[in-house]
Structures are given as C-alpha cells and as structure tokens.
Amino acid sequence: MAKVYKNATVLAGSELRVMEGAAVVLDGEHIVEITTDYSGPGIDLDGAIVIPGFVDAHTHVGDRGAKDMAVGLPTVEAVSPPDSVKYRYLQSLTPEELTRSMRSGAREMLAAGIAAFGDFREGGVHGSELLKNAVRDLPIKAVIFAEPTVPPGEWPKYLHEAAEIGEAAEGLGIGDITLFTADQLTVLKGALEAHSAKLAIHIAETRKAQQASEERWGASEVKRILEVAPDLLVHMTNADSADIEATAAAGVPVVCCPRTNCILGDGIPPLYQLWKAGVPLSLGTDNFMFTSPNMFREMDYFSRIVRGQSNRPDAIEARDVLSMATLGGARALGIDDEYGSLEPGKIASFIVIDPKSPNLQPVRDIYSAIVHRAGLADIRLVVARGQELHRGGTER
Ligand SMILES: [Zn+2]
C-alpha cells in the first residue's frame, strides 16, 4: 500500500544531495520514488529534514544490560573472554534474560534512528540464534558476526564451530588474532568462504596487542590479517602508518569506534590518517557497556578528532561523516543494496529531524548541523521498514 511523506528536505541518494520540498513515496517497506514534483495527499512533514537511517557497523548488543559496570577498567578486564566483567555478566543470564535484554537494545537503536547494525555476538551459533530471535519482529536489520564458544587453542573444535557459524550467521567475529597461527587464519578464511560468510576482526585495538603480535609473530596485527584478505576490520586504534597504507591498498573496510576506544584508554584512533589514506570508513558505537548507541554522538566525535589531529578545520566535510554513518556502514556490512541511502528500491528506513528545534534553529549548513549539533532530542519521527516508531522504539 502506498504511503507518502511530503514537504520534506530529503538528503537523497548516495551523494546525500539536498532535495527541498520533496516527497518520499513508499510501497510497504520500500521506497518507490523521491520527487520534488508531488502535489497529492500524504503525511505533511512541514519542512523537516529526512536522512537515511543510520548503519551502526559495530556493536555488542549482548552487553546491553552491563551498562556502566566496567568503566575505569582496562580492555582485557572489561571485555575480553573468558573472565572479564562482560563475560561474567553474560554467564549470569539465562537465554531468556539475554534475549529480552538484546531486544531492549535493538529498540534503543531503533529509537535512535539506527536501521541496521553489525553485531559481534558471543556464544557461537546458539548466541547468534538468540539475537535473531530477539529482533525477529522488529524493523531493524542485524548483521551477525558470531564468535565460537571455545578459544582457538582448541583448534579442531574451534574450526568446526566456525564452519557452523558460516552456515548460520553472516560471518565470524574474531576478538584476538594473536591466538592464531598464519595457517589457521588461512584455513579459517577458506572455511568461511565456502559458506559465503565474512571474516570480521577487532584489530590493533590496544597497544599491548600490537606489541604482542610483533613479539610473537614478527608482524603487526594488521599485516597478519591482511594476508588472508579479511572482509571487515574493527578499530585500528593503534595501527601505524604502514598498517594504514597497507589497509588502504587492500581496500578493506574499517569500522571506527572512537568513543569506545577513548573511554577504554586504548588511545585516540588515527582517524585523520585513515581518512587521508582513503580507507573505506564506517562508524560503530561498539559496547553498550560504555557507549550509547547514538550515531549523532559518534559522528560528532569522529569529525572533531579528524579536524583536531590534522590541525585543519577543513580536513573533512560533514557530508562525508554522515555518509560514513549511513552508506559507509551499509557497504562495510554488505547490505548497501537495501540500506544506507534513500533511493528507489531500497528499504524505507529514515529519520525525520526537526529543523525548528531550539538546538538546530537556525540551520545554515545542513550537513554540519546534523553531524555537529543534532541529537536524539531533535528526532521528530523514525520510520523503519515503512513503520512509524514512537520515541521509545515501539511500532505505532
Ligand atoms: Zn567490539
């Protein structure tokens, strides 16, 4: 059934071009047309700004209930398997409690305008199924990278689980590359490819991990993983110039999670260098434990760090940052045929922002206003897969 949202300023297409006085025409959960030539009936948005739903390219929705529990602890004690605060928290939950908690997390994301997310899911195939169940009837897309339940030290079992994950989820999410030999990484990549599944990995997150890689294997984490053509790198917080150049040359997408890197004391990621080198970038809010699933905050933080690191206020355009938070994420997760931009044929997931809110008024540079000033309070409406959501993320 057709539905029309009219009289909006739409940031349309992969270029996020401004279309004023535009109407977005929906058929069910899809966009069929965006036009400035519409005078029929429809829902009048009264000049509001319409942007694509965000793609949060790296999350751990499983730790949604562990908010604030590990702030002040280093990364290993906070989130690493098997004895961190996070893993002890996860072990304390029944599957039903975990499912409910992840569902609440997904609702939080929807209310924040997130249309799709890429999640590193603990608990192997079972953990992946719990997340699928948690979001089954919610209008949000979960791209799941599952982590086996055993460490790579138990290799035959690990490999067996990884192959099962390749079958059941979009890909495998690895926490620590130092535990793998080069041969194991090659075998792992082959096993995933056999199921058309992706290999995603936390990389160069901590300085210690980079040092351990050099000491044990004689190469940085980044150089080691690039040998097996990974599909997605997360963090690069402590990557050096050679790592960044090699990643750019390989064209491997990187998810930047600067707010989480900083609160964990892992460093300010080399965002300007990554951007300048031409690495395909996207943004992730990472652990719910420390960081709200709020892509407005992630964009703002990212943009300010790039300008600060470069000593150049024009080092990046706000439009490019918004693109990372939308289409960049969709490309990184391999879902850009459906998500990441507003164009005919794609899923109708978008955010209606009120340009008359005191915070935004007046809007002189629409991209900068969204990236550097807008927040959740400026959201008038979220439409997810064609459904209007209340601010709490529930279907109307
Ligand atoms: Zn992570």
Side-chain angles (χ1 to χ4, degrees):
M1 198 181 69
K3 192 195 264 182
V4 180
Y5 292 89
K6 63 178 187 177
N7 192 17
T9 299
V10 180
L11 299 190
S14 57
E15 303 297 315
L16 293 165
R17 72 180 178 281
V18 178
M19 291 176 70
E20 287 181 356
V24 184
V25 183
L26 277 55
D27 184 7
E29 62 177 24
H30 287 95
I31 297 170
V32 291
E33 190 182 11
I34 303 172
T35 176
T36 51
D37 185 21
Y38 180 83
S39 54
I43 299 159
D44 192 339
L45 294 181
D46 190 26
I49 300 166
V50 171
I51 68 170
F54 293 121
V55 179
D56 192 342
H58 184 62
T59 60
H60 298 260
V61 71
D63 56 38
R64 187 257 171 194
K67 289 176 184 176
D68 305 332
M69 277 173 72
V71 176
L73 293 178
T75 303
V76 171
E77 288 172 45
V79 296
S80 295
D83 295 321
S84 62
V85 170
K86 168 187 171 135
Y87 278 80
R88 276 181 279 144
Y89 162 77
L90 287 174
Q91 279 157 17
S92 76
L93 300 179
T94 64
E96 293 73 26
E97 287 169 338
L98 177 56
T99 304
R100 268 201 304 277
S101 176
M102 292 194 294
R103 186 173 172 80
S104 299
R107 284 181 180 279
E108 264 184 72
M109 287 194 266
L110 278 168
I114 293 169
F117 63 106
D119 198 76
F120 269 35
R121 189 68 270 281
E122 303 78 12
V125 170
H126 178 62
S128 163
E129 295 304 320
L130 293 182
L131 177 51
K132 283 186 200 171
N133 273 332
V135 300
R136 193 170 297 280
D137 59 345
L138 294 179
I140 192 166
K141 169 82 174 174
V143 177
I144 303 174
F145 302 96
E147 173 189 78
T149 58
V150 296
E154 298 176 36
W155 180 247
K157 199 165 176 223
Y158 184 97
L159 183 60
H160 180 72
E161 266 200 57
E164 285 182 340
I165 284 169
E167 183 87 5
E170 279 82 1
L172 183 78
I174 297 180
D176 183 359
I177 187 178
T178 303
L179 302 172
F180 296 84
T181 67
D183 285 347
Q184 285 173 335
L185 290 170
T186 304
V187 170
L188 204 51
K189 173 71 179 174
L192 293 167
E193 270 177 357
H195 295 286
S196 305
K198 292 177 187 295
L199 175 63
I201 185 162
H202 288 142
I203 209 82
E205 183 175 7
T206 68
R207 194 174 300 159
K208 270 188 185 162
Q210 279 280 75
Q211 282 165 356
S213 181
E214 291 282 357
E215 281 163 22
R216 185 158 174 191
W217 304 107
S220 74
E221 289 200 335
V222 178
K223 287 193 199 77
R224 292 192 70 228
I225 196 65
L226 289 178
E227 292 289 323
V228 296
D231 298 287
L232 186 60
L233 304 180
V234 182
H235 295 312
M236 299 280 280
T237 320
N238 292 278
D240 64 21
S241 299
D243 290 335
I244 292 169
E245 292 305 326
T247 304
V252 181
V254 168
V255 189
C256 303
C257 313
R259 285 191 302 156
T260 297
N261 298 151
C262 284
I263 199 168
L264 280 164
D266 287 329
I268 299 171
L271 302 178
Y272 174 56
Q273 277 195 64
L274 287 162
W275 165 245
K276 199 174 59 167
V279 175
L281 298 180
S282 52
L283 302 181
T285 59
D286 206 358
N287 297 87
F288 267 72
M289 297 171 74
F290 319 100
T291 311
S292 56
N294 181 336
M295 293 290 278
F296 289 109
R297 284 194 178 186
E298 207 70 44
M299 289 194 298
D300 186 28
Y301 202 64
F302 178 97
S303 179
R304 286 166 203 268
I305 290 175
V306 168
R307 291 160 203 250
Q309 286 176 329
S310 64
N311 291 109
R312 279 181 42 199
D314 63 349
I316 193 165
E317 290 187 23
R319 183 192 340 209
D320 292 321
V321 181
L322 180 58
S323 181
M324 283 173 206
T326 51
L327 193 54
R331 286 178 175 151
L333 300 179
I335 55 170
D336 51 309
D337 56 334
E338 290 196 303
Y339 290 90
S341 59
L342 300 177
E343 39 197 317
K346 286 202 177 186
I347 295 284
S349 288
F350 53 83
I351 307 167
V352 179
I353 295 172
D354 185 1
K356 294 175 185 159
S357 78
N359 176 43
L360 290 184
Q361 187 61 224
V363 174
R364 296 199 173 89
D365 175 332
I366 194 166
Y367 304 110
S368 184
I370 292 165
V371 169
H372 301 125
R373 293 194 288 118
L376 300 186
D378 303 310
I379 295 179
R380 188 191 291 173
L381 175 70
V382 171
V383 174
R385 285 193 197 153
Q387 300 175 32
E388 289 186 10
L389 306 183
H390 286 302
R391 281 191 54 81
T394 53
E395 293 85 346
R396 189 180 283 172

